[in-house]
Structures are given as C-alpha cells and as structure tokens.
Amino acid sequence: MSVTFGIVGSGWRSEFFLRIAAAMPERFTVTGLVTRSADTAADIERRWGVRGHADLDGLLAAGTPDFVVVSVPRDVAPGVIVELVDRGVPVLTETPPAGTLDDLVALWERVQRPGAPTVQVAEQYHLSPLLSAQLAVAHSGRLGRPTQALVAQCHDYHGVSVIRRALGIGADDAEVTASVFRSPLVAGPGRAGDPTEERIVTATQTTARFTFGDRLGVYDFAGEQYFSWIRGNRLLVRGERGEIENTEVRWLRRFDEPVFGSLRRVMTGEGGNLEGMFLRGILLGDEWVFRNPFLPARINDDEIAIARMLDGMPRAIAGEAPVYSLAEASQDHYLALLMQHAAETGNTLRSTRQPWADIVDDELHARAVSG
C-alpha cells in the first residue's frame, strides 16, 4: 500500500521527497505541493507530475494525504505546523522545527496536547546506511557501554542527534563548551555543481564538548565538509571493550583476545554485475548490520534515509515507534543552540530540563527495550 503525502514548500530539500516518490511510485505518492509561485507550481507539475497549490486549502481539497511534509524556513515552519495540526493533519517537518528556544517551547505547547495529530521531524542522519550500521555496531555489545563519541559529519542539531544516539543519551544534563576556528580552504563543489575555478574560502569550524556525567560527546564540523572533496567525515565511538572508527571496528572478545573487522558496502552494478545500481547493504564480517529496505530503487544514501522516514510515518501516526519525534528534535536543537552560544561567548553552559525532557527519556528507554 502506497504512503501518500503532500508537501508545503518548493525549495532544494523539497526535491528530495519528490525524487524518492518518482523513484518508487509503488510505495510513495505525492498528492500535491504548496508554493506561492505560479511559475514554480507549473515547473513542479512539468518536471514531477505533481500539482502545485497556492495554499493548504487547495492541497487538502485535492485529496487526503496520510500526512504533510513541511519544508519551509525555520521561522515560517511553526505557523504551518500549527495550522496543519489544528486541521487534524499529521506532520513530518524539516529540521529544526523552530528557530529559538522560546519558539520551540511555544510550538511544543501548541501541538503537544491529547488527541492532537502526530508531529514528527525529518532528521535523517541516524537512518542513513553507514550511520545506521555504525550505530548498530555501537549498541551491539561489542564495544561495551559507549562512553565517548566524536562526530564530524553534519552540522548543529544533526551532529548533536548523532552524538546522543551514539552514547544512548536522553535528556541528561549536559555541560557544554565550544570554540570556533577559521582557516583557508580551496572551495569544492556546491549545490550548483562542480567548481569552475580555484577559489579560496574561509572554513568556519566549530568544536564543542558535551559532557553528560560519565559520557563525553565531541562535535567537530565546518559546513564546507558537506561538499568538499578534501574534508572527510569522521565518527568515533568508544566503550570499555572496543571502538568503531569510521569503518574500522576493534573489540575484545575476551580480555586477551582482540578482534578486528571492517564495515563493507555491498553494491550492485560494479564491474560485470548486471543486477542494477543500488546498495544492497553493509556487512561487518558475515553479519548484515544494515539492509537496504528499498532495493532495487536507484537512490543515494541520503534518499534511503529520507525514504525510511516517510515509510515509518504511518506507524508513528498509529502510535507505534516514532520516526524522530518533536521531543527529540527539540532537545537536539536546544543543545545545538547552547553550543552556538558557548562558541560565541566562550562560556561554559549547562542545560536544564525542558518541557519535552520526560518524553525524550521515555523514548530512549523504549528503544533500549526493543533493541
């Protein structure tokens, strides 16, 4: 049965959802898209076969989607989310769900009420194939209890989300320190494509430490990493019995018996393989630590992650496991805001419990129980 959804917004991120639906029409259907521009609406219909609408009235009158994806700027998103919730429509909103802490709290108070439609947030990183595999290894018992995580592959709340997931952190109290370092870097490609000339840009790298009692998260990221050919991503997770460093895993089977393994991507379409072009999954030795649920669709890792969110929404709406809840998103963005403030001021900051903290802790416990 196909998952149906509408979209509010026509920016760069909206096209990810459109591409996924076009690649797997048997699984996903876009019922329409809201955009203020008539020219953009015409272009969307020409390129994707999706009808554009000027407002929510038009979108919802054209059909009843399972939910609506909100893909608009963070200062606009809360108003759209509230309007959809007031109309009884479940929401999957892009990150972050609101801008400031006050905005987060205000949104939470408006939509977190008994009987209100489900609001989930489109945080895809922990659902991407490699990170999914790495996090599965981190919580497989091989490393013991994860106590340290270094994340250098995504910005702000995305990086914080990976840190919390890697360490098994809920809404635990955090002590936050941060600093900024700027350095020259040869510009790489961007959203518009490959560079056409050599150009030096200034890379702004934020490094932060999140101390959660006896667990430590380190954030280290510059926005240029997203497209740079010469600034790679890194993930390090350590426990008392082992560690995972990018694709290398080292652990102790016994105190005197070390084991070494590597994560291996299993791709089709390489060499003489004629199966198509898709990711089959990721192996650690002979164990599948990630299996692609959407093969043989020809989609990239980020699109696999986003498709997993879309696919999980009906279950979240039914009250089963959340995709990535408004509570989690609010906590991650709150910690990211503390990090930004610590970097600007040089002060050590401490988190306080926010209105969503109990739900974050409950969801962490539920994930631990379900494995």
Side-chain angles (χ1 to χ4, degrees):
M1 183 176 180
S2 180
V3 174
T4 64
F5 62 95
I7 302 173
V8 178
S10 56
W12 184 70
R13 289 297 299 177
S14 298
E15 293 206 355
F16 282 73
F17 297 97
L18 292 166
R19 284 199 301 273
I20 289 164
M24 294 179 282
E26 74 286 356
R27 298 189 69 156
F28 303 108
T29 301
V30 182
T31 61
L33 182 146
V34 175
T35 176
R36 291 176 296 181
S37 167
D39 290 341
T40 300
D43 183 59
I44 292 291
E45 186 161 0
R46 177 182 61 81
R47 292 171 58 204
W48 302 104
V50 173
R51 184 179 175 187
H53 302 276
D55 51 33
L56 284 178
D57 289 336
L59 175 70
L60 298 178
T64 305
D66 296 328
F67 56 93
V68 169
V69 171
V70 175
S71 185
V72 296
R74 67 183 69 181
D75 57 333
V76 178
V80 180
I81 295 167
V82 168
E83 184 174 356
L84 284 164
V85 168
D86 287 347
R87 291 170 177 248
V89 180
V91 174
L92 176 64
T93 184
E94 275 286 4
T95 57
T100 67
L101 177 58
D102 287 344
D103 292 337
L104 286 172
V105 172
L107 176 62
W108 178 263
E109 291 173 347
R110 287 293 303 272
V111 304
Q112 192 66 26
R113 60 178 188 266
T118 299
V119 177
Q120 299 286 288
V121 179
E123 173 56 57
Q124 81 274 23
Y125 279 93
H126 66 282
L127 297 173
S128 62
L130 180 56
L131 268 170
S132 251
Q134 291 166 322
L135 292 173
V137 172
H139 293 286
S140 67
R142 290 177 177 87
L143 312 187
R145 176 176 178 260
T147 55
Q148 300 177 50
L150 183 150
V151 176
Q153 58 185 318
C154 42
H155 76 279
D156 293 346
Y157 40 87
H158 300 300
V160 172
S161 172
V162 176
I163 287 172
R164 282 202 315 104
R165 291 267 172 161
L167 293 175
I169 293 291
D172 305 51
D173 292 340
E175 181 180 276
V176 185
T177 59
S179 62
V180 171
F181 177 72
R182 294 178 175 85
S183 60
L185 179 68
V186 176
R191 292 183 181 183
D194 288 354
T196 57
E197 62 182 2
E198 180 163 319
R199 184 170 56 91
I200 300 294
V201 297
T202 299
T204 301
Q205 178 180 346
T206 300
T207 302
R209 290 168 62 93
F210 295 86
T211 304
F212 304 95
D214 61 351
R215 285 169 289 180
L216 173 67
V218 177
Y219 168 101
D220 185 32
F221 189 73
E224 288 72 22
Q225 282 179 234
Y226 277 129
F227 288 97
S228 177
W229 290 318
I230 57 173
R231 292 292 185 267
N233 294 333
R234 287 170 290 140
L235 177 75
L236 171 67
V237 183
R238 286 174 167 166
E240 76 273 12
R241 301 197 63 82
E243 68 177 24
I244 176 168
E245 181 183 17
N246 297 331
T247 58
E248 298 300 310
V249 188
R250 299 174 278 272
W251 73 97
L252 295 173
R253 184 173 289 145
R254 291 174 15 119
F255 74 93
D256 60 350
E257 190 177 347
V259 181
F260 306 94
S262 298
L263 296 175
R264 177 184 173 184
R265 291 176 65 91
V266 181
M267 292 290 303
T268 63
E270 298 179 335
N273 183 279
L274 301 179
E275 293 180 77
M277 178 65 76
F278 56 86
L279 172 69
R280 188 168 291 283
I282 298 178
L283 283 167
L284 176 62
D286 61 356
E287 178 185 347
W288 289 100
V289 288
F290 175 80
R291 288 179 181 269
N292 180 6
F294 303 111
L295 52 84
R298 191 169 180 168
I299 57 178
N300 64 35
D301 281 14
D302 204 51
E303 291 163 349
I304 289 172
I306 295 169
R308 292 181 71 189
M309 291 188 301
L310 294 170
D311 193 53
M313 274 297 289
R315 292 187 294 277
I317 292 167
E320 300 175 26
V323 173
Y324 176 80
S325 68
L326 180 60
E328 274 211 274
S330 299
Q331 181 68 13
D332 288 333
H333 189 42
Y334 166 54
L335 292 177
L337 291 171
L338 287 181
M339 174 180 69
Q340 292 165 8
H341 189 53
E344 291 166 1
T345 64
N347 296 332
T348 298
L349 302 179
R350 289 173 174 79
S351 67
T352 58
R353 287 184 74 81
Q354 299 299 319
W356 48 78
D358 288 346
I359 293 179
V360 173
D361 289 338
D362 289 346
E363 290 179 352
L364 174 66
H365 176 72
R367 286 199 301 273
V369 170
S370 66

